[in-house]
Amino acid sequence: MSYVDRIIEDITKKNSDQPEFLQAAKEVLESLRVVVDADSIYEDNAVLERLVEPERIIQFRVPWIDDKGNVQVNRGYRVEFNSAIGPYKGGLRFHPSVNLSILKFLGFEQIFKNSLTGLPIGGGKGGSDFDPKGKSDREVMKFCQSFMTELSRHIGPDTDVPAGDIGVGGREIGYMFGQYKRLRNEFSGILTGKGLDWGGSLARTEATGYGLVYLVEEHLNQHDDSFKDKTVAISGSGNVAIFAAQKVYQFGGKPVTMTDSNGYIYDPNGIDLDAIKDIKLVQRARLTEYAAGHPGSTYTPTGEGKPWDLKVDIALPCATQNELDLNDAKNLLANGVKIVGEGANMPSTQEAADFLLENGVTFFPGKAANAGGVGTSALEMSQNSERLSWTFEEVDTKLRTIMQTIYNNIAQAAKDYGQEGNYILGANIAGFKKVAGAMLDQGIV
Ligand code: GLU
């Protein structure tokens, strides 16, 4: 049995209750066959066995008191997956679906994504099954303080630096940072995505969405093309989706959809981003609000259709894992889509990604395409270390260079292994090589 097959068999046995983790791990392992079969150093040093096993998983109780005075208990986690190339780095997700499978898949992806940024950050992820939806600011604060009371023992600017993810934005980072500072009597860069007046970086909020569009634009430019006059379907309506749409407009394209968990809006005139920002970021309301003020736009409830049913040139799934399945991939292809770029983490099922790739659609996996967020988090860490803050232009220019470099590296890796244009393979191999090299250098640990 080949090395990769043995590892796949082993993780399938050990993690049979973790489908998302197995999906993410198998995708990477499949890509690595060509690398590990060509050099026995990986098998001799059990690099893959070590890579698929988190260095540490912390699980803890998060008790808090709601506005009615009732005691609530949630589960908190931090998966510290791999620190070969830097302190664990990755977001915190607060969502009722959070469990160990989801966090291990996200932490695993983060190892390769962070490696691709070219910056010294290891892979980690954490979060809770807490649902911020419908909670008051006070309740969110109480929860965040309790969560950080335990998490504070495990993180540090040179150990593990969490950030935001689904359900964790500026408000939550603020409450957690305040609690850490109070507990430790220390003002340090233990989280990224901080407020601009207290250690945050300009352009961090925009970075994931902008970065996604920079990477796709780089690909288009290298093929004598651009976003100009392209119609773009985007899912999600959080930071990633909003700032991806903003950058698409800046490059002359037209984003026509956005989604939340209840449904999607289609605006053939182009999404009105000021309205979206107001609904989602200020009112914290639902997208149903949009249609009323925008004649010509339509709202389709979840279950009755998806943005992937529409005729678009480019699709940017920016909501959540497995939101684009084989059927959606077929619809996109039938409608002539040319590029799919993942703004979320693993938004396409394995079957959807394979189908798109096999049918000539250019496909950028999340670990490359959405790396601008964590890349800019690493820039925030640099600014915190030197106690300086860089201008928006400075950070944005660095972000664009990071995304261009990622594009070139994944394209080159795919070419080197005889699969030009297979950016899934390219991203997995380019991300792996650096981490594996570091693991080999550092011995069996
Ligand atoms: N949650 C984001 C991601 O999936 C950002 C992580 C970070 O900035 O550390 O990469």
Side-chain angles (χ1 to χ4, degrees):
M1 192 185 281
S2 79
Y3 184 28
V4 164
D5 285 330
R6 184 160 62 73
I7 301 301
I8 290 180
E9 191 178 281
D10 194 45
I11 58 167
T12 308
K13 223 182 282 163
K14 281 189 185 151
N15 305 282
S16 57
D17 56 342
Q18 298 180 354
E20 292 87 1
F21 170 62
L22 289 175
Q23 181 184 341
K26 283 179 188 167
E27 185 224 82
V28 171
L29 290 166
E30 287 297 342
S31 299
L32 298 182
R33 282 181 196 280
V34 280
V35 181
V36 300
D37 287 351
D39 191 340
S40 64
I41 193 169
Y42 299 107
E43 187 165 5
D44 292 347
N45 290 280
V47 168
L48 295 183
E49 289 87 332
R50 291 189 283 143
L51 195 67
V52 294
E53 198 60 38
E55 289 176 18
R56 186 178 302 107
I57 296 179
I58 300 140
Q59 186 184 321
F60 49 97
R61 176 171 70 205
V62 190
W64 57 283
I65 298 176
D66 69 19
D67 287 347
K68 295 198 186 88
N70 297 320
V71 180
Q72 302 283 346
V73 180
N74 286 97
R75 251 184 202 175
Y77 307 85
R78 187 73 181 162
V79 178
E80 296 182 335
F81 223 120
N82 192 300
S83 62
I85 62 168
Y88 310 106
K89 182 85 198 84
L92 297 169
R93 177 176 291 193
F94 293 169
H95 192 271
S97 66
V98 163
N99 57 34
L100 215 44
S101 175
I102 301 264
L103 294 179
K104 278 179 65 186
F105 119 62
L106 290 164
F108 188 72
E109 289 279 293
Q110 205 82 41
I111 302 170
F112 307 94
K113 181 196 311 197
N114 293 4
S115 166
L116 286 171
T117 66
L119 298 165
I121 39 178
K125 204 84 185 192
S128 173
D129 58 0
F130 173 76
D131 187 0
K133 216 185 284 168
K135 303 287 191 302
S136 70
D137 283 353
R138 278 293 161 87
E139 289 177 320
V140 171
M141 180 175 80
K142 297 250 187 63
F143 172 81
C144 288
Q145 290 176 338
S146 180
F147 184 86
M148 182 50 89
T149 300
E150 175 60 33
L151 188 69
S152 64
R153 304 165 200 267
H154 310 288
I155 62 174
D158 298 314
T159 308
D160 184 355
V161 185
D165 195 80
I166 293 173
V168 179
R171 175 181 62 170
E172 291 75 16
I173 293 290
Y175 294 149
M176 287 190 277
F177 186 79
Q179 180 72 353
Y180 183 93
K181 188 164 58 65
R182 186 174 186 210
L183 290 168
R184 294 298 183 96
N185 194 27
E186 171 190 305
F187 193 112
S188 63
I190 45 97
L191 291 168
T192 60
K194 298 186 291 299
L196 295 178
D197 293 332
W198 40 278
S201 174
L202 284 160
R204 173 64 189 88
T205 311
E206 293 83 354
T208 313
Y210 277 19
L212 166 67
V213 175
Y214 285 150
L215 181 123
V216 175
E217 175 78 355
E218 183 61 23
H219 167 81
L220 288 165
N221 289 173
Q222 292 195 21
H223 293 79
D224 296 322
D225 201 353
S226 79
F227 264 96
K228 201 166 173 350
D229 300 326
K230 300 266 189 309
T231 304
V232 184
I234 297 180
S235 62
S237 48
N239 261 355
V240 184
I242 289 173
F243 292 105
Q246 188 161 300
K247 192 51 77 179
V248 167
Y249 274 127
Q250 286 173 18
F251 284 153
K254 186 166 71 170
V256 292
T257 63
M258 288 226 163
T259 71
D260 62 20
S261 54
N262 300 102
Y264 85 88
I265 47 167
Y266 167 57
D267 192 337
N269 300 313
I271 295 290
D272 173 354
L273 284 182
D274 289 337
I276 296 286
K277 282 183 195 167
D278 185 57
I279 293 169
K280 299 306 289 189
L281 305 179
V282 182
Q283 300 179 42
R284 294 188 192 272
R286 313 301 295 164
L287 283 181
T288 35
E289 311 278 317
Y290 184 92
H294 296 84
S297 73
T298 56
Y299 178 80
T300 309
T302 302
E304 292 176 27
K306 288 182 172 183
W308 322 130
D309 304 337
L310 304 170
K311 184 169 168 43
V312 293
D313 303 303
I314 295 174
L316 304 176
C318 298
T320 195
Q321 65 272 359
N322 293 328
E323 54 163 313
L324 195 162
D325 61 20
L326 180 58
N327 191 39
D328 301 323
K330 287 181 177 165
N331 286 340
L332 282 169
L333 184 76
N335 281 318
V337 80
K338 294 284 176 301
I339 297 174
V340 174
E342 296 189 324
N345 291 310
M346 206 172 72
S348 312
T349 64
Q350 184 72 58
E351 297 76 32
D354 289 346
F355 176 85
L356 291 166
L357 206 63
E358 280 158 18
N359 286 281
V361 175
T362 301
F363 184 90
F364 293 110
K367 62 173 77 68
N370 72 35
V374 75
T376 307
S377 275
L379 302 179
E380 182 172 327
M381 289 165 70
S382 300
Q383 293 168 78
N384 292 165
S385 298
E386 57 176 17
R387 303 255 187 265
L388 287 176
S389 59
W390 306 337
T391 62
F392 188 95
E393 289 66 33
E394 213 171 336
V395 180
D396 189 40
T397 305
K398 286 187 164 63
L399 166 64
R400 191 159 187 182
T401 307
I402 289 170
M403 299 316 295
Q404 289 167 334
T405 308
I406 291 176
Y407 176 73
N408 289 327
N409 288 345
I410 65 175
Q412 190 59 48
K415 214 190 238 173
D416 289 348
Y417 286 87
Q419 295 210 37
E420 190 165 355
N422 183 347
Y423 301 114
I424 298 178
L425 184 104
N428 289 335
I429 291 179
F432 168 77
K433 279 195 146 178
K434 190 169 139 188
V435 174
M439 289 172 75
L440 290 168
D441 289 346
Q442 292 168 25
I444 310 291
V445 287

